[in-house]
């Protein structure tokens, strides 16, 4: 899967144009799943722009309750039935907005409860990596998500995105070896904890048209969560092509 996280970028009209450009890259039955994550106000018009094509539509966040007095929040029940995916635990939510592991877990559970495919983002900060605690941090974040659900979700119902915080938006990508090592660890940890096959594991953090092929060639990396480069259709097209090559 190649997923474009637009973050807080684009006007609605720019978002529609970008969604059309992404749609044009994709044909039904292609080997790579392609998804876009526009800002909330764009979701409905982008749904229209994507039409019945194969591009999946996802929300960048979701709230854990279904309805009620939660000013500014959007629930999974509001997205269910017409959005395909939801992203939870993105590092910007965890680190800029103070979201806790437990809150991410509740969002994970809410998305699954409403039949949305959930991408759980995990990742260590630079200091945590330097202190040798990368795996401890990743395990804690994964365990918090999995503890929020009664049963381990079916393999196809969710994905993990490994996004080292120090690599997001910095132009400093994890090396393919570093990324592959952590993605392999995630796979093993989830399989051990759930006694089920691990879901797909994506890498995110300064993925570009120039480094995508090498990252995607690694055995434990099943695709990418793309920030900055997903706003540029030419770059995004090359990243999708790299994933298609790796999948063949
Ligand atoms: P980036 O963002 O590709 O701009 O580093 C990735 C992400 O935050 O998902």
């Amino acid at each position: 899967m190649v997923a474009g996280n637009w973050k807080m970028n684009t006007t609605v009209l720019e978002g529609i144009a970008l969604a059309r450009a992404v749609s044009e890259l994709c044909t039904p039955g292609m080997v790579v799943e392609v998804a876009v994550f526009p800002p909330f106000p764009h979701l409905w018009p982008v749904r229209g722009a994507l039409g019945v094509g194969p591009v999946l539509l996802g929300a960048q966040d979701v709230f854990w309750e279904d309805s009620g007095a939660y000013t500014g929040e959007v629930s999974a029940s509001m997205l269910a039935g017409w959005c395909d995916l939801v992203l939870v635990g993105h590092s910007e939510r965890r680190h800029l907005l103070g979201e806790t592991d437990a809150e991410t877990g509740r969002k994970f559970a809410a998305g699954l409860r409403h039949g949305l495919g959930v991408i759980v983002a995990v990742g260590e900060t630079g200091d945590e990596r330097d202190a040798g605690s990368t795996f401890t941090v990743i395990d804690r974040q994964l365990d918090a998500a999995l503890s929020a659900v009664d049963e381990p979700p079916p393999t196809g119902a969710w994905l993990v995105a490994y996004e080292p915080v120090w690599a997001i938006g910095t132009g400093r990508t994890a090396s393919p070896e570093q990324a592959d090592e952590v993605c392999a660890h995630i796979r093993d940890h989830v399989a051990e904890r759930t006694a089920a096959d691990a879901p797909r594991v994506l890498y995110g953090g300064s993925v570009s048209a120039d480094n995508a092929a090498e990252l995607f060639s690694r055995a434990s990396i099943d695709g990418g969560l793309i920030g900055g480069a997903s706003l540029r259709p030419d770059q995004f097209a090359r990243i999708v092509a790299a994933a298609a090559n790796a999948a063949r």
Side-chain angles (χ1 to χ4, degrees), residues 91-162:
S91 92
E92 285 144 22
R93 301 229 51 98
R94 294 179 189 267
H95 295 285
L96 292 177
L97 296 154
E99 184 169 309
T100 64
D101 291 339
E103 287 168 344
T104 298
R106 295 178 78 184
K107 294 178 174 191
F108 177 61
L112 293 171
R113 194 165 69 236
H114 288 282
L116 294 159
V118 185
I119 302 184
V120 185
V122 297
E124 82 288 3
T125 63
D127 285 349
E128 289 164 341
R129 175 164 282 265
D130 292 345
S133 47
T134 298
F135 291 166
T136 315
V137 171
I138 304 280
D139 292 354
R140 193 197 71 220
Q141 293 172 339
L142 289 171
D143 290 348
L146 289 167
S147 319
V149 289
D150 296 334
E151 301 265 315
T155 302
W158 66 301
L159 298 89
V160 178
Y162 168 53

Side-chain angles (χ1 to χ4, degrees), residues 9-100:
N9 293 296
T10 70
T11 63
V12 174
L13 289 179
E14 287 163 354
I16 292 170
L18 183 54
R20 289 209 177 106
V22 172
S23 253
E24 279 166 21
L25 305 174
C26 301
T27 46
M30 64 193 281
V31 287
V32 181
E33 276 190 314
V34 175
V36 291
F37 288 75
F40 276 121
H42 306 21
L43 283 170
W44 185 253
V46 164
R47 173 79 281 161
L50 296 175
V52 293
V55 178
L56 302 173
L57 179 64
Q60 297 174 17
D61 188 27
V62 73
F63 194 60
W64 52 79
E65 297 291 349
D66 286 351
S67 64
Y70 304 104
T71 302
E73 295 297 333
V74 174
S75 69
S77 60
M78 293 172 179
L79 304 172
W82 61 278
C83 284
D84 305 293
L85 299 164
V86 68
L87 175 62
V88 301
H90 189 278
S91 92
E92 285 144 22
R93 301 229 51 98
R94 294 179 189 267
H95 295 285
L96 292 177
L97 296 154
E99 184 169 309
T100 64

Side-chain angles (χ1 to χ4, degrees), residues 5 7 90 92 163 167-170 204-207 225-229:
N5 173 14
K7 309 193 179 185
H90 189 278
E92 285 144 22
E163 299 206 305
I168 296 178
T170 57
S206 297
V207 177
L225 180 57
I226 321 297

